[in-house]
Amino acid sequence: MPATTSAVNLANLHAKAKIIRKEIIESTTTAGSGHPTSSLSGVEIAVALYFGGILRYDPKNPHWPQRDRFILSKGHAAPLLYAVLAEAGYFSPDLLPTLRKLGSPLEGHPNMRRLPGVEASTGSLGQGLSLGVGHALATRMDGYDTRVYVMMGDGEMDEGQVWEAAMSAKKFQLDHLVGIVDQNGYQQTGTTAEVLDLKPLAPRWEAFGWAAREINGNDMAEALDALTWARQAKSRPSVIIARTVKGHGLPFLAGRSASHYVTLSPRNHARALSALRSTEVLG
């Protein structure tokens, strides 16, 4: 049976989100590299998707043809994906401290050839939605009722390939394709507003024929409600614009451009674990 949850309990999802955040912090601190803050901003969406009864999957049969797909287009947030897959049962959480270590399947960006549950090798930004269109077309041809979810960063919206994929998805009426934009407001060289301001995003997606919904992406209830809404789409794809905070849950790093590629010092590691024990990260 696919591993979904029939009765959703927000308290349980919040508890799961704390576990995921702790694993992101621990794995990137141990590695001494990675993108913890880019991973932390997307936690609520990923937890709602995998543990809120939305995504249909079976960790004992990761290549089950009728599974739903989740593609992390913002591949630098791999610590988030790895923590979620470990908690979902694809592999032991004991593997998480090997992040970015020589020989570990937990590479700096997801590698579908090395780790079960990874649907696409990503990292070159802007390509994930095209891969999602391919999965959506292929599963339709196979006659499956599979749904495909693609999480993108807002910096990726600068890429023309994203909008080519968006046009294709509308043309082929891929109503089983869901885009998720983790709009944390920052990319590698600065704020997204400074680099190339595309706000407001929702009307842009609607102009390309998508159903769009904007939410507080760090609010678990809103994330779950939006993912449920997206499952009702007919004749066109849907996109969730999730306004998030980069480094959500860590007050000393949250919403700072300088934190894009910052791992934690021993002092800040202790501060992060202390923050997780508070209620601030519940969203």
Side-chain angles (χ1 to χ4, degrees), residues 79-95:
L80 167 61
L81 178 60
Y82 298 154
V84 167
L85 291 178
E87 287 299 317
Y90 282 93
F91 54 86
S92 171
D94 293 341
L95 192 61

Side-chain angles (χ1 to χ4, degrees), residues 178-191:
V178 180
I180 303 164
V181 180
D182 183 0
Q183 190 181 23
N184 63 31
Y186 291 92
Q187 56 195 96
Q188 186 170 7
T189 58
T191 68

Side-chain angles (χ1 to χ4, degrees), residues 92-151:
S92 171
D94 293 341
L95 192 61
L96 293 174
T98 71
L99 173 70
R100 290 177 167 245
K101 296 291 190 293
L102 187 64
S104 171
L106 277 62
E107 298 182 3
H109 292 82
N111 185 339
M112 62 183 292
R113 295 181 178 273
R114 302 203 63 200
L115 199 66
V118 175
E119 297 289 355
S121 300
T122 56
S124 295
L125 295 177
Q127 297 181 359
L129 190 60
S130 295
L131 292 166
V133 168
H135 277 267
L137 287 170
T139 53
R140 174 191 283 175
M141 291 175 67
D142 288 334
Y144 301 140
D145 62 347
T146 292
R147 300 193 68 79
V148 181
Y149 299 85
V150 181
M151 179 183 281

Side-chain angles (χ1 to χ4, degrees), residues 71 73 126-134 150 152 156 161-163 165-166 169 177-179 205 210:
I71 295 171
S73 186
Q127 297 181 359
L129 190 60
S130 295
L131 292 166
V133 168
V150 181
M152 300 166 277
E156 285 189 80
Q161 184 172 345
V162 171
W163 302 103
L177 175 65
V178 180
W205 284 92
W210 288 53

Side-chain angles (χ1 to χ4, degrees), residues 203-214:
R204 293 182 185 274
W205 284 92
E206 289 170 339
F208 278 76
W210 288 53
R213 182 167 177 174
E214 190 170 352

